Amino acid sequence: MAEPILSVRNLQTQFAAQEGVVHAVDGVDFDVFEGRTLGVVGESGCGKSVTARSILGIVESPGRVVGGQILLRPAKGGAPIDLLTLSPKAMRDIRGPEIALVFQEPMASFSQYYTIGNQITEAIRLHMGMDANAARARAIDLLDMVGVPQPSRRVDEYPFQLSGGLRQRVMIAMALACDPRVLIADEPTTALDVTTQAQILDLLRELQQKRGLAIILITHDMGVIAEMAHDVAVMYLGRAVETGPVGEIFSSPKHPYTRALLRSIPTVLAKPRTRLPTIAGSIPHPFNRPTGCPYHPRCSEIITGLCETAEPPAVGEASREVRCFLHGGRP
Amino acid sequence: MIAFLLRRLALGVMTIWLISVLSFVIIQLPPGDFVDAYIAQLASSGSSVSAEEAQAMRLQYGLGQPFYVQYGKWISRVVVGDFGESMEWRRPVTQVIGDRLWLTLLLSLGALIVTWTLALPIGIYSAVRQYSVADYIFTLVGFIGIAVPNFLMALIIMYFAFKFFGASVGGLFSAEFAMAPWSWAKAWDLAKHLPLPAVILALGGTAQLIRIMRANLLDELRRPYVVTARAKGLSETRVILKYPVRAALNPFASNIAYLFPYLVSGSIIISIVLGLPTVGPLLVKSLVAQDMFLAGTIVLLLGVLTVVGTFISDLVLMWVDPRLRHQMD
């Protein structure tokens, strides 16, 4: 396989609170390739969104990236650069032209005080050095590309004048404004109804085929993963517990957590009126992180005496890793 | 939009009319009338008024008539611009008020400018650098500013100005200009005297507005659209000034309406303490003397200012908030 465009290595992001330090992202590894989609999946609070923000260097205080590497392969070729070593100024030139972000709540993620045209063109003018007219023409083209009807009229409208689906299309147009190579979509369809969801996912896939975009798709929805992702990283408590190609993750999941997630997908083949299996327990409070394997208190296949004390290392080849003692790595 | 503005205008006129009725009622509420107050005042200085004279005065000012007749006579002249004659000063009300109205407006406007130029940047700084040393200092100073009555502040500043600089800070004019007709020299003299009372008047409001701005901006800084702006690669200064500050300005705009009457009524005590020739002290005196036409006119003017302030604040709000603009259409 080709070189990854973006590699995350042992990423660690912490939030210092008065009660202690929260390890929101605690050693995440994954690779993203051109023209492919990496699905990052996990329950709420597992550190998916913080991972996305860490990559862009926009983690909000008191959060801080404390370790690891975020390696971006330059467009011109050459050795990968570690984004964590860049100056704030250099990092701002990454945001937009190299890596862009699509957010979960299209309503809250726009300012209601400026037209969508204004909010799209500011990035174009900043990074591409276009004048106001050229930037406006580009914004209209972008709106047209993401399927916004009557783009030359819509460009002067405010976000509150658009429907939820249109707003998310505009959000995607805004993210693509400066031709990024990597697009991070953080739960892009969660706030939308099912039909609109399907349209937005289609749009993302179409844009990926046209432009060879690398997409990191963050979701808690295994259905979305099955439909969209080429590769999958399953996250639990700030850690990627299993990674691999989407087919293998679905056909032969290794980590008990992945298996539990897959069992809890509703299927039309299930017997009517049976309960959907759920994962026992809930995500531990961030301040009471379990020792050993973080999943052991909820695990049905716990190896008593081992999982509570030792942390399982990642085993397997780079494209198919799992962190579980059932699959090796015992001390 | 036009229809909305016309409706607001009509409502404003109605409000002013109601204020005129209310102010007339309130002025009449204390027992007795101007003649009683006049007799009492004369009696305290040793002279007296005969019953016939008192009766003649009551007749002259129409004080014996029922309330609605008095009000009707007054208001029908007010609408053609004749505000009647001050009973105490025995001169037309417009002459008595004279420059005082414009000086009051000027002082309030000065205080408003001071308030905004101080409160906006300090509020923004305090929110962006929450819990920094400077934030704590501004907070402390701000609370002192809110807690200390501004007339006390005026007294303290007067004391120190006199003690250390030998300067008298009272009044808006130097002695030689106080009675002089308007000239460039007099205007310059006013410009030199205006800043200090404007700053004193502005202190309380500034402290309040800093708190409002800080709280609003802290709210807005945590909104997702701020993260969106950062993700576009804008510089942090640009992000903050363009997005959350803009949203936090809304309450500032609606605050204009309240700030104006607050400044005018707040200036009464300060004007008395600092000896400023504004309408404030005049209003107090006219109320004590039950000088109805003078008091009524001043209250009416303040009412008009408040209504105009509200109207301006509505316009500014519509200008800054596109959502409001679109609700109108």
Side-chain angles (χ1 to χ4, degrees):
Chain A
M1 200 181 283
E3 286 281 298
I5 188 166
L6 182 78
S7 302
V8 173
R9 288 287 167 267
N10 194 27
L11 181 68
Q12 297 184 19
T13 305
Q14 300 179 348
F15 287 77
Q18 266 166 357
E19 298 90 332
V21 174
V22 176
H23 300 255
V25 180
D26 193 21
V28 163
D29 297 283
F30 56 69
D31 294 314
V32 193
F33 297 90
E34 199 180 304
R36 288 173 75 86
T37 299
L38 169 76
V40 177
V41 68
E43 287 166 280
S44 320
C46 69
K48 297 172 300 203
S49 294
V50 179
T51 304
R53 286 168 193 209
S54 301
I55 293 173
L56 274 178
I58 50 171
V59 181
E60 275 170 275
S61 169
R64 219 161 56 83
V65 179
V66 294
Q69 285 180 310
I70 298 164
L71 301 168
L72 180 74
R73 190 161 50 84
K76 308 183 260 316
I81 41 171
D82 183 359
L83 299 186
L84 294 178
T85 62
L86 291 181
S87 70
K89 169 83 188 67
M91 194 58 213
R92 287 207 294 274
D93 293 333
I94 299 288
R95 294 175 203 138
E98 296 287 339
I99 309 174
L101 197 45
V102 172
F103 291 90
Q104 182 172 162
E105 296 264 357
M107 184 68 181
S109 300
F110 277 111
S111 167
Q112 305 301 318
Y113 292 93
Y114 300 98
T115 60
I116 55 173
N118 179 316
Q119 296 183 58
I120 296 175
T121 51
E122 73 177 329
I124 301 175
R125 297 182 65 181
L126 177 73
H127 294 297
M128 305 179 99
M130 289 188 186
D131 64 22
N133 287 329
R136 187 185 152 88
R138 178 168 170 82
I140 293 172
D141 285 347
L142 286 162
L143 290 177
D144 189 41
M145 178 187 74
V146 297
V148 172
Q150 294 179 282
S152 52
R153 193 169 63 86
R154 293 287 186 178
V155 75
D156 292 319
E157 290 192 352
Y158 289 91
F160 55 83
Q161 292 173 283
L162 308 176
S163 67
L166 270 190
R167 269 199 291 267
Q168 193 58 293
R169 283 175 191 269
V170 174
M171 174 69 80
I172 292 171
M174 191 161 84
L176 295 179
C178 301
D179 277 328
R181 293 186 295 148
V182 180
L183 184 72
I184 307 177
D186 187 357
E187 307 258 11
T189 56
T190 309
L192 305 174
D193 65 70
V194 185
T195 326
T196 321
Q197 260 186 35
Q199 287 168 358
I200 295 293
L201 294 179
D202 284 344
L203 173 67
L204 283 176
R205 222 174 359 222
E206 187 192 315
L207 291 169
Q208 178 171 53
Q209 278 160 11
K210 274 191 203 153
R211 310 170 147 237
L213 265 180
I215 296 180
I216 301 178
L217 181 69
I218 296 173
T219 178
H220 60 266
D221 186 338
M222 274 295 193
V224 171
I225 293 285
E227 197 180 333
M228 294 289 294
H230 302 96
D231 308 292
V232 181
V234 180
M235 279 189 71
Y236 188 77
L237 277 190
R239 206 163 289 185
V241 291
E242 183 168 2
T243 56
V246 66
E248 285 187 40
I249 294 284
F250 275 84
S251 62
S252 57
K254 288 185 174 167
H255 199 284
Y257 179 61
T258 313
R259 288 203 287 256
L261 274 182
L262 289 170
R263 268 198 306 275
S264 50
I265 303 175
T267 150
V268 285
L269 303 174
K271 236 172 41 193
R273 284 180 223 297
T274 48
R275 274 183 176 275
L276 198 61
T278 51
I279 305 176
S282 56
I283 290 201
H285 191 272
F287 293 118
N288 304 321
R289 192 189 176 76
T291 54
C293 169
Y295 186 60
H296 83 258
R298 303 171 75 185
C299 188
S300 54
E301 297 160 71
I302 179 171
I303 306 168
T304 318
L306 177 66
C307 294
E308 303 98 315
T309 52
E311 288 201 33
V315 292
E317 49 198 297
S319 61
R320 184 83 180 92
E321 279 185 343
V322 61
R323 285 170 179 272
C324 180
F325 288 126
L326 292 171
H327 303 279
R330 294 196 195 200
Chain B
M1 187 99 142
I2 303 287
F4 166 79
L5 291 180
L6 286 178
R7 210 163 51 233
R8 284 301 273 111
L9 216 60
L11 265 173
V13 173
M14 284 281 289
T15 315
I16 291 170
W17 173 69
L18 273 173
I19 291 172
S20 77
V21 176
L22 270 177
S23 57
F24 214 75
V25 171
I26 291 167
I27 292 161
Q28 293 223 328
L29 275 182
D33 54 28
F34 169 71
V35 177
D36 292 325
Y38 181 64
I39 292 170
Q41 195 204 336
L42 283 185
S44 68
S45 60
S47 46
S48 65
V49 180
S50 69
E52 288 81 54
E53 266 182 279
Q55 201 50 46
M57 277 177 77
R58 287 212 164 85
L59 215 64
Q60 184 197 340
Y61 294 122
L63 292 179
Q65 291 160 325
F67 161 76
Y68 56 89
V69 177
Q70 289 189 41
Y71 174 77
K73 277 183 171 172
W74 178 64
I75 201 72
S76 59
R77 276 183 289 141
V78 164
V79 283
V80 294
D82 174 10
F83 292 90
E85 186 171 292
S86 160
M87 303 170 188
E88 196 187 7
W89 301 69
R90 299 184 186 247
R91 279 195 288 148
V93 164
T94 40
Q95 251 183 45
V96 176
I97 296 178
D99 287 339
R100 282 170 178 260
L101 182 66
W102 305 115
L103 290 174
T104 309
L105 278 176
L106 204 61
L107 184 63
S108 303
L109 205 68
L112 194 73
I113 292 170
V114 173
T115 304
W116 279 48
T117 44
L118 284 180
L120 269 173
I122 294 179
I124 293 172
Y125 183 89
S126 272
V128 175
R129 300 256 181 281
Q130 195 189 8
Y131 303 137
S132 65
V133 176
D135 177 32
Y136 280 122
I137 292 174
F138 286 135
T139 302
L140 181 73
V141 174
F143 278 130
I144 292 174
I146 293 175
V148 177
N150 50 17
F151 72 87
L152 188 63
M153 201 68 95
L155 284 174
I156 294 170
I157 291 177
M158 265 170 95
Y159 171 78
F160 281 111
F162 189 73
K163 187 156 186 220
F164 295 112
F165 304 107
S168 161
V169 294
L172 282 178
F173 299 103
S174 309
E176 64 267 34
F177 287 112
M179 290 298 156
W182 279 103
S183 63
W184 285 112
K186 184 174 179 175
W188 177 238
D189 187 53
L190 173 65
K192 281 190 293 190
H193 278 78
L194 201 60
L196 193 69
V199 167
I200 295 172
L201 190 56
L203 284 180
T206 306
Q208 240 169 16
L209 230 53
I210 290 177
R211 300 309 295 169
I212 296 176
M213 185 68 196
R214 181 178 181 272
N216 284 333
L217 193 55
L218 280 176
D219 261 6
E220 296 295 334
L221 282 173
R222 297 192 185 108
R223 299 282 164 102
Y225 67 79
V226 183
V227 185
T228 313
R230 285 201 188 103
K232 278 189 242 179
L234 304 179
S235 72
E236 190 63 16
T237 319
R238 177 99 188 267
V239 167
I240 286 171
L241 289 184
K242 181 169 176 183
Y243 290 101
V245 166
R246 171 70 186 262
L249 275 182
N250 249 15
F252 265 68
S254 48
N255 197 265
I256 300 174
Y258 304 101
L259 213 58
F260 220 65
Y262 166 82
L263 286 173
V264 172
S265 58
S267 74
I268 293 180
I269 303 175
I270 289 191
S271 295
I272 294 173
V273 170
L274 290 176
L276 308 178
T278 63
V279 291
L282 204 60
L283 174 64
V284 174
K285 261 163 92 183
S286 64
L287 285 174
V288 170
Q290 298 210 27
D291 189 347
M292 280 169 35
F293 300 136
L294 183 54
T297 304
I298 295 177
V299 172
L300 191 61
L301 282 176
L302 293 187
V304 170
L305 284 184
T306 310
V307 170
V308 170
T310 316
F311 191 65
I312 293 176
S313 134
D314 280 355
L315 288 181
V316 174
L317 260 181
M318 284 201 331
W319 176 57
V320 298
D321 194 338
R323 275 169 300 186
L324 281 178
R325 227 161 33 226
H326 282 273
Q327 267 170 28
M328 296 299 125
D329 299 336

